[in-house]
Amino acid sequence: MNPLRALHEQGQSPWLDYIRRSLFTSGELQRLIDEDGLMGVTSNPAIFEKAITGSQDYTAALAALETEHLDAMALYERLAIEDIQQAADLLKPVYEQTQGRDGYVSLEVSPYLAKDTDGTVAEARRLWQAVQRPNLMIKVPATPEGIPAIQTLIGEGINVNVTLLFSQEAYRQVAEAYLAGLEALAAAGGDLRRVASVASFFVSRIDSLVDARLEAKLKAGEGDRALLESLRGRVAIANAKLAYQAYKKLFAGERWERLAAAGARTQRLLWASTGTKNPQYSDVLYVEELIGPDTVNTIPPATWEAFRDHGRVRPTLESDLDAAHDTLETLARVGISLTEVTDTLLVEAVRLFAEPFDKLLNSLDKKCKAVNWTRLNAQELHLSAEHRRLVEAELDDWKINGKVRRLWMRDASLWTRSDESQWLGWLGLVEDQMANLPTLMAAAADIRQHFRHVVVLGMGGSSLCPEVLRMTFGILPEAPVLHVLDSTDPAQIAELEARLDLEQTAFIVASKSGSTLEPNIFKQYFFERMKQVVGTERVGQHFIAITDPGSKLEGIARADGFRYIFAGVPSVGGRYSALSNFGLVPAAMMGIPVGEFLDLADDMVNACSYCVPIAENPGVVLGCALGILAKAGRDKLTFITSPKLWDLGAWLEQLIAESTGKQGKAIIPVEGEFPSDISVYGDDRIFAYLRLDDDDNDATDAAVAAFKDAGYPVIVNRLATEMTLGQEFFRWEIATAVAGAVLGINPFDQPDVEASKVATRELTAAYERTGAFPDETPLFEADGLRLFTDPANAAALGAHDSLAGYLRAHLGRIQPGDYFALLAYLEMNALNKAHLQAIRHAVREEKRVATCLGFGPRFLHSTGQAYKGGPNTGVFLQLTCDDAYDLPVPGQSYTFGIVKAAQARGDFQVLAERQRRVLRVHLGRDVAADLVKLREAIAQALAH
């Protein structure tokens, strides 16, 4: 006997989880009914999306509807309702023969309504009326908001297919809603015989997520390997079997008997997601193991064909119930929460059904994605009439020449026709990362369970996004504290180590190339320190790598037995990697719900696509404004942020400076300046205000209002919550790429960063050979402070008899339109920063120029590119010091202090070679005391 027909004898109804127009027009659905005993059909947004966009079935229908000018939603509903009606008509005989038990076809409410009870009810009523078939079931998700809608709809006599059920507890709530709905219908005098419902209990997705978490534990060497292996591919079936036992109890007893006497039918369990996703498992696993009376299995086409060919029919649903209980108990024992798994799957399933629905609507709307503008961070541009004219003219150029589409199509001719097309992988990161969430979240759960501290060891793009997330979100409940190390200063490394319990710490070595000096020596240092604490066999389990495939670091990580290795994307540069693993792995491990974070970021991705009218495209509008205003002389982009977003400027600073600072051009980012009186700002300024709605914004609002009133160009980005930070990452990445095109440069390379690295390597190599750096003679020395510079700068400064005299001469070289930058190779601590902030602001107040402050060596991977490759408008004061103590770099003859000193000298050397106005002040061991002296000397220099 045909195995599909044989299911009837076991009391199970086979339904088909598939729909498309040719299924009816070809006679295939009728054949399946006649030959295979098909008893019903289910659909969902993903099925309709594939049917409509992946076939020619609807070409004629779409052409016929063009004259009606329907919007995408109306067009979809017209096509879907026609399909549902045809399927319902073909299934009507089954419906009648089974007296309304089978013969149904399901149509789902919009996935956008998954969290909207009233909206779900309204749409279900509308669809019920539009289809006008008694054998229709309206699919409603079993979200907390969907469950009361189910009760309401059943109470109105509307058939419901409850979808997205993963947990037994949720199923009990759904069954209770069905029973309450029946009682309401009976109380209103309704006919209980005419209402039906199924509860779609999802199966294979549970195994997919649980298996991923089991694999993570196996890789980490946790627990009993045999026990973990024994759970693979078993949890979903065990969960379903116990749900069926709950069904038998729920539809028994006095309450149910009263309803049954009035003609009510049980709400059968329908096994959904029964296609096998793991190729190592039987392709009919989730059909064969769930056969039992009063159930439905909705089967995808490939599984349908496979079961017809080689399916075995036997009563399995109530076999080995003790084993099912044992499986779930074992799962809990190995540290995996089924509740957390099913909660995660519900959230993900809502997203996974919304995504194809978005795709479907976009395909019907000229292939464009719908933008959820209500969730998008707002943007305002406050420009003078002339500046607005310039920006609008640039936007017109982009529109006329199709530049936004060209950007998304990765057309290098938009920039310099070099290698730009190879560096645009970040455009698709959000979608790719959402697809990889189960693996990431399983690893994050593992880390959160075993460690109290997580330290990112990286530089530039590998460290700045995690730092912003840590400073913005703080320390989250039940999650490790995230730390970031991006300095070779020995005191800073020691201070960090003192805050850690190494045995409770995991280190993330983050390096795209895998060959960056700083993260490699950080790893060497902490790997050896960890080895001393936990031993050689366990040390690797405290380390995680994020690096591009095939890098040197990947090889080291495998050899050293790292706990996890996460891949970078070769086509994504470091400063564009915030939404890649470099940003999201630390985010997940510090407890940020990255699924929601990405979902919100995706709104900005959609809004920045070529489908959106250019005047409404937030990233393109911002980029055109930045680029065209920089060309008009407004090239000092000054960031002002809400207090909670104070560190966001550091990430933006790198993105802007390293992307635009080359070929004598640059947008110079000014981060960390405190607002002051309007009189201290030149006409080279443009202000960007990153405003978090839920923050204390009185002071910043007042400052920004003053800039607007004074006629300065002001951009305001309003963040609804911290969770929308990902939107800003993407907005500013798009804007930077666009600004690069406007400026005529390649925004994805960093040609001048390498120059400092080469100089540093040469100096370090010289030290290893001789044990010392080349001699240098101070230009001036007094009170423990020494001045150094190159011959050209020395000649320009002239001879002076005091520190203040030399500083006066150096600061006297600042001209209108220039900027002043402090390059501090010092420990980045609060006291040092306070002194340096005081110095920069004193210079700003007196010289009326933009000022920058960077701690070395981290700024080398950030603003260093613009300082060397941008216009020669910077006046630089480099600060170095004698380290009070030092730390060795394991396996090397040099120390961290030596590396920092080599980096400072290399940086200075390249600045001098580029004919920059630069002076170095070398402090003694008591840095705080010497900074006081420097402040006093600066004050004297500015006073004359």
Side-chain angles (χ1 to χ4, degrees):
M1 176 182 283
N2 182 330
L4 290 160
R5 278 196 167 277
L7 290 174
H8 297 187
E9 296 180 359
Q10 299 296 328
Q12 186 168 83
S13 299
W15 291 10
L16 181 67
D17 193 27
Y18 180 70
I19 199 167
R20 62 183 285 181
R21 190 148 295 186
S22 61
L23 190 66
F24 326 122
T25 57
S26 67
E28 177 65 7
L29 182 59
Q30 188 63 57
R31 186 189 68 79
L32 294 173
I33 294 169
D34 295 339
E35 296 180 10
D36 292 348
L38 180 146
M39 304 290 280
V41 169
T42 54
S43 69
N44 61 46
I47 289 172
F48 269 114
E49 188 271 329
K50 290 176 183 176
I52 294 173
T53 65
S55 75
Q56 299 297 315
D57 289 9
Y58 300 84
T59 303
L62 287 168
L65 291 169
E66 282 183 357
T67 59
E68 297 190 33
H69 304 294
L70 300 173
D71 64 29
M73 179 66 81
L75 194 57
Y76 155 70
E77 285 190 2
R78 183 74 67 84
L79 298 174
I81 287 171
E82 289 175 1
D83 281 1
I84 294 297
Q85 288 173 329
Q86 290 187 61
D89 291 342
L90 287 170
L91 285 163
K92 186 71 175 295
V94 176
Y95 174 77
E96 293 172 344
Q97 290 162 13
T98 61
Q99 298 182 334
R101 191 60 165 163
D102 282 300
Y104 292 94
V105 58
S106 299
L107 176 62
E108 188 158 347
V109 297
S110 167
Y112 299 146
L113 301 172
K115 296 185 177 182
D116 183 348
T117 302
D118 293 340
T120 296
V121 171
E123 178 150 310
R125 290 168 178 159
R126 185 174 56 79
L127 293 174
W128 179 256
Q129 290 298 320
V131 174
Q132 285 289 309
R133 298 295 189 274
N135 55 331
L136 169 70
M137 281 190 173
I138 302 295
K139 289 183 79 173
V140 176
T143 57
E145 297 82 2
I147 290 172
I150 294 161
Q151 179 175 331
T152 298
L153 295 170
I154 293 297
E156 295 177 5
I158 296 175
N159 302 327
V160 177
N161 177 343
V162 183
T163 188
L164 303 188
L165 272 169
F166 296 94
S167 75
Q168 297 173 48
E169 177 55 30
Y171 168 62
R172 292 185 181 92
Q173 293 175 27
V174 164
E176 172 59 33
Y178 175 65
L179 293 170
L182 289 175
E183 289 167 341
L185 180 61
D191 186 353
L192 273 57
R193 295 171 299 176
R194 300 182 68 84
V195 65
S197 180
V198 292
S200 296
F201 201 88
F202 281 50
V203 187
S204 66
R205 294 187 191 186
I206 290 176
D207 276 344
S208 295
L209 183 53
V210 169
D211 286 0
R213 296 188 175 177
L214 291 170
E215 183 63 27
K217 287 182 174 291
L218 288 165
K219 284 185 177 179
E222 294 179 30
D224 184 322
R225 187 175 189 86
L227 199 60
L228 292 168
E229 292 276 7
S230 72
L231 291 170
R232 282 178 164 165
R234 296 170 59 88
V235 173
I237 291 168
N239 191 44
K241 286 184 174 184
L242 297 184
Y244 183 70
Q245 294 305 303
Y247 159 82
K248 292 176 67 176
K249 292 178 181 177
L250 286 162
F251 293 96
E254 184 177 330
R255 182 187 187 189
W256 171 246
E257 287 170 1
R258 284 198 305 270
L259 292 168
R265 287 182 280 235
T266 59
Q267 181 190 52
R268 289 181 295 173
L269 277 164
L270 177 150
W271 309 125
S273 181
T274 55
T276 303
K277 294 175 173 59
N278 188 330
Q280 296 179 353
Y281 301 160
S282 164
D283 58 355
V284 292
L285 174 67
Y286 301 106
V287 181
E288 286 185 344
E289 297 301 319
L290 295 173
I291 299 172
D294 289 320
T295 58
V296 179
N297 197 318
T298 188
I299 306 171
T303 308
W304 185 280
E305 295 293 331
F307 192 80
R308 182 203 292 126
D309 177 67
H310 52 265
R312 293 183 301 153
V313 178
R314 63 202 189 283
T316 53
L317 187 54
E318 296 193 87
S319 65
D320 295 326
L321 292 178
D322 288 342
H325 282 286
D326 183 65
T327 294
L328 299 192
E329 289 169 4
T330 303
L331 185 71
R333 199 159 62 247
V334 300
I336 297 176
S337 165
L338 183 57
T339 299
E340 194 275 331
V341 166
T342 56
D343 287 349
T344 299
L345 285 169
L346 177 59
V347 173
E348 285 299 298
V350 170
R351 179 181 61 81
L352 290 171
F353 277 132
E355 285 177 356
F357 196 58
D358 286 342
K359 287 175 65 179
L360 171 58
L361 294 183
N362 294 338
S363 70
L364 294 174
D365 190 12
K366 299 180 180 180
K367 304 293 184 182
C368 295
K369 285 191 174 182
V371 178
N372 189 341
W373 296 100
T374 62
R375 300 200 311 176
L376 202 69
N377 288 346
Q379 178 169 276
E380 304 164 10
L381 268 65
H382 300 269
L383 305 175
S384 68
E386 174 60 15
H387 287 154
R388 186 167 297 281
R389 184 192 66 78
L390 291 172
V391 172
E392 288 176 352
E394 185 66 26
L395 288 169
D396 282 344
D397 177 67
W398 277 68
K399 180 179 180 180
I400 292 167
N401 292 289
K403 290 185 177 181
V404 184
R405 182 177 293 273
R406 286 165 56 194
L407 187 156
W408 281 88
M409 296 303 172
R410 310 185 186 198
D411 181 356
S413 69
L414 189 61
W415 296 281
T416 67
R417 298 179 184 273
S418 56
D419 66 345
E420 290 94 345
S421 63
Q422 300 174 31
W423 295 103
L424 286 155
W426 52 273
L427 290 170
L429 274 178
V430 170
E431 183 177 356
D432 294 342
Q433 290 295 119
M434 286 196 291
N436 295 325
L437 271 180
T439 300
L440 173 57
M441 297 313 296
D446 167 40
I447 295 299
R448 291 199 299 269
Q449 181 181 354
H450 292 93
F451 299 101
R452 293 194 293 112
H453 299 274
V454 173
V455 182
V456 175
L457 307 175
M459 298 297 293
S462 301
S463 62
L464 288 171
C465 174
E467 179 186 277
V468 170
L469 295 174
R470 167 63 177 85
M471 296 305 172
T472 303
F473 284 87
I475 301 172
L476 298 177
E478 300 181 6
V481 179
L482 185 72
H483 310 267
V484 178
L485 178 63
D486 61 354
S487 174
T488 52
D489 184 89
Q492 194 163 330
I493 297 169
E495 188 275 335
L496 169 65
E497 185 177 354
R499 287 187 278 137
L500 304 174
D501 176 351
L502 287 180
E503 194 163 8
Q504 296 293 316
T505 301
F507 290 93
I508 300 174
V509 187
S511 172
K512 176 178 172 60
S513 68
S515 59
T516 305
L517 171 67
E518 296 94 336
N520 286 345
I521 60 176
F522 296 156
K523 180 267 176 182
Q524 289 172 245
Y525 176 79
F526 282 107
F527 198 83
E528 289 304 312
R529 289 289 294 113
M530 185 66 72
K531 190 183 295 184
Q532 296 168 17
V533 173
V534 303
T536 303
E537 292 185 359
R538 292 175 52 203
V539 61
Q541 289 299 295
H542 286 256
F543 283 80
I544 298 160
I546 310 173
T547 188
D548 279 2
S551 74
K552 180 181 177 181
L553 175 58
E554 182 185 42
I556 291 171
R558 294 194 186 283
D560 285 345
F562 277 26
R563 193 181 194 98
Y564 295 105
I565 301 173
F566 289 96
V569 180
S571 60
V572 177
R575 59 187 175 273
Y576 291 86
S577 66
L579 295 171
S580 75
N581 281 333
F582 285 98
L584 295 182
V585 169
M589 291 178 181
M590 69 173 283
I592 295 173
V594 293
E596 180 184 352
F597 190 82
L598 285 169
D599 183 52
L600 289 165
D602 196 42
D603 291 328
M604 185 62 73
V605 176
N606 294 339
C608 292
S609 79
Y610 60 81
C611 302
V612 174
I614 195 164
E616 300 172 20
N617 187 311
V620 174
V621 169
L622 175 59
C624 284
L626 295 176
I628 205 67
L629 291 179
K631 291 173 74 171
R634 298 277 181 173
D635 61 351
K636 309 303 187 303
L637 177 58
T638 306
F639 291 107
I640 298 171
T641 69
S642 292
K644 290 181 183 177
L645 299 177
W646 68 269
D647 197 49
L648 179 56
W651 180 84
L652 289 164
E653 183 181 52
Q654 186 209 15
L655 177 68
I656 297 293
E658 205 167 56
S659 295
T660 68
K662 57 203 68 170
Q663 299 175 24
K665 305 173 184 178
I667 298 171
I668 299 296
V670 180
E671 184 271 330
E673 267 194 355
F674 300 144
S676 185
D677 186 78
I678 290 296
S679 63
V680 306
Y681 298 100
D683 60 7
D684 55 351
R685 297 272 195 159
I686 175 173
F687 294 92
Y689 181 23
L690 285 300
R691 187 186 192 279
L692 181 64
D693 287 346
D694 182 22
D695 206 350
D696 182 5
N697 296 309
D698 290 349
T700 49
D701 283 350
V704 171
F707 297 138
K708 293 178 192 174
D709 292 343
Y712 284 97
V714 175
I715 297 158
V716 181
N717 295 146
R718 298 181 182 275
L719 286 73
T721 69
E722 293 93 334
M723 286 295 293
T724 62
L725 198 56
Q727 291 190 10
E728 297 310 311
F729 291 152
F730 192 82
R731 183 208 306 268
W732 283 87
E733 287 168 357
I734 284 283
T736 302
V738 169
V742 174
L743 293 172
I745 49 91
N746 180 348
F748 309 117
D749 68 358
Q750 47 282 336
D752 300 286
V753 169
E754 187 60 28
S756 289
K757 293 181 179 179
V758 170
T760 297
R761 284 195 292 268
E762 290 174 351
L763 286 162
T764 305
Y767 181 88
E768 288 189 292
R769 287 193 305 271
T770 65
F773 288 127
D775 289 337
E776 55 180 357
T777 302
L779 177 69
F780 179 81
E781 184 172 4
D783 201 16
L785 276 67
R786 293 178 288 165
L787 300 181
F788 297 89
T789 195
D790 65 294
N793 273 296
L797 291 173
H800 302 277
D801 59 4
S802 68
L803 176 62
Y806 276 101
L807 290 170
R808 184 179 306 115
H810 186 55
L811 297 176
R813 297 198 280 176
I814 298 175
Q815 301 297 314
D818 285 343
Y819 64 94
F820 170 70
L822 281 166
L823 314 179
Y825 287 83
L826 311 173
E827 181 183 359
M828 191 170 73
N829 61 34
L831 180 58
N832 290 349
K833 187 173 182 179
H835 285 307
L836 297 172
Q837 284 284 74
I839 290 171
R840 77 182 291 193
H841 289 120
V843 172
R844 180 190 64 182
E845 303 298 302
E846 181 63 28
K847 296 295 183 179
R848 307 296 199 260
V849 296
T851 62
C852 304
L853 167 60
F855 282 89
R858 69 185 241 151
F859 78 82
L860 292 177
H861 300 261
S862 175
T863 50
Q865 168 64 43
Y867 295 162
K868 300 173 182 70
N872 193 357
T873 54
V875 175
F876 303 97
L877 187 64
Q878 189 191 70
L879 305 180
T880 56
C881 69
D882 292 327
D883 292 312
Y885 62 97
D886 209 345
L887 292 172
V889 177
Q892 306 294 338
S893 60
Y894 51 75
T895 64
F896 280 100
I898 293 300
V899 171
K900 184 183 70 165
Q903 290 174 312
R905 283 207 189 188
D907 179 34
F908 189 98
Q909 176 182 316
V910 176
L911 286 168
E913 289 171 355
R914 303 294 167 88
Q915 300 180 343
R916 291 338 194 211
R917 291 162 286 176
V918 58
L919 177 67
R920 174 179 155 216
V921 180
H922 189 80
L923 313 178
R925 289 175 178 268
D926 190 345
V927 172
D930 284 353
L931 283 174
V932 172
K933 299 174 188 176
L934 180 61
R935 284 182 63 175
E936 292 171 350
I938 293 277
Q940 294 174 31
L942 293 172
H944 290 78

